[in-house]
Amino acid sequence: MKPAAFDYVAPRTVPEAVDALGSAGRDAQVLAGGQSLLLEMHLERVRPDLVVDINRIPELDTLRVVDGSLRVGALVRHHVFESAQAVPGPLGSLFSLAVVNIAHPPIRSRGTMVGSFGWGHPASE
């Protein structure tokens, strides 16, 4: 199967992305890593009118601890968590042990942690 036709935008700022998503309503999807979205589109289970590619928005590629809470940007890839130093303390050690069980290196280099949590595909890589 092939995905249905859709429009595509690649904003460079968060406000541009929000505007694009707001103008499209419920029929828009965000593209970051694409491991889940592209599969769903290929199988025609998701048929967006608009795909908003956020890969050109640098402020979404941040990982930091703020007031004791871990803040993971939408573009932080799985492979970042392979280093125990990426996140301070025991949580960093836990992530570094767990993330190597996510798929294989090419998928970890492209897939995002936020996308995995958001889609929640139990059988995905």
Side-chain angles (χ1 to χ4, degrees), residues 35-113:
Q35 279 63 36
S36 296
L37 175 61
L38 296 178
L39 173 63
E40 291 295 316
M41 289 174 65
H42 179 74
L43 296 174
E44 295 186 356
R45 292 190 285 216
V46 173
R47 298 175 64 133
D49 291 330
L50 175 68
V51 172
V52 179
D53 183 345
I54 62 170
N55 282 285
R56 292 168 183 84
I57 306 175
E59 63 259 41
L60 297 180
D61 193 9
T62 59
L63 177 65
R64 60 182 173 262
V65 176
V66 177
D67 297 327
S69 295
L70 180 62
R71 305 260 175 112
V72 181
L75 291 177
V76 176
R77 312 291 177 188
H78 296 284
H79 75 89
V80 171
F81 294 92
E82 290 178 11
S83 167
Q85 288 73 40
V87 178
L91 187 57
S93 298
L94 178 62
F95 270 124
S96 70
L97 293 171
V99 79
V100 296
N101 294 300
I102 297 172
H104 47 83
I107 295 293
R108 288 196 302 269
S109 72
R110 189 74 192 143
T112 64
M113 195 63 80

